[in-house]
Structures are given as C-alpha cells and as structure tokens.
Amino acid sequence: MFFTVGEDTVIEAVQPLSASSAEGQDLERAGEGIFSVTFKTKDLGRAAEHLRSHNQRIEFDGANTLTINREDAFGMVIGFTDRKIPNDPR
C-alpha cells in the first residue's frame, strides 16, 4: 500500500511474505520499523554511474531498481528506482 505525504514523498507499507525473506529477517531482528529507503530518479543508469564514481557497489533488483550494497550503506537498504507507483494520484 502506498501513501503520499506532501508533494514529493511516498511511503510504501508492506508486510513480509515469508520469515525467510530479507524483510522477514529484518523484522525478526529489529522489530517493526523502516526497512529501506528508495529514491525515485529519472535516469537509473546515470544514478548508478554517479554512485559507482563514489565507490558504491551496486546491486540490481530487477529492471527498474538498484540498491547500494548494504556494507557500503551502514547496513541499510538504500535504493533508487525509475518505476512508476501504481495508481499514483499526483
């Protein structure tokens, strides 16, 4: 489920599909809270180039999303996407 907050912020609320998923493991380890932050970009390839130029290791998660390696992001899941949000009212 997506929630818009103001003009430029969208929050997605999800529940892990299984206890063995990355989200399920994080929920077990840390409890409820923020699992990841994903920034929307117009040019995913250019975002990847920029991150690599700053020695960030990139892990692709499908055709429209990439994440920074967790070790490079202090254990956080930080992602970038160019995908459209379903039913975005903006």
Side-chain angles (χ1 to χ4, degrees):
M1 179 175 286
F2 293 93
F3 301 92
T4 57
V5 180
E7 292 182 24
D8 297 321
T9 303
V10 178
I11 296 172
E12 180 181 14
V14 298
Q15 198 167 14
L17 296 177
S18 75
S20 63
S21 68
E23 296 88 348
Q25 291 173 10
D26 192 67
L27 178 63
E28 178 66 28
R29 181 186 58 75
E32 291 185 2
I34 297 171
F35 173 74
S36 68
V37 176
T38 302
F39 298 94
K40 180 144 184 176
T41 181
K42 292 179 182 177
D43 189 334
L44 195 60
R46 197 160 173 217
E49 287 176 23
H50 176 77
L51 292 165
R52 285 188 184 112
S53 76
H54 290 280
N55 299 316
Q56 299 295 303
R57 291 175 287 172
I58 304 299
E59 299 172 0
F60 284 91
D61 183 22
N64 298 93
T65 305
L66 64 83
T67 57
I68 298 173
N69 181 285
R70 280 184 170 210
E71 292 176 11
D72 296 344
F74 307 100
M76 298 181 294
V77 177
I78 299 177
F80 295 83
T81 189
D82 62 4
R83 77 178 170 108
K84 294 184 182 196
I85 298 168
N87 304 311
D88 190 348
R90 297 170 295 149

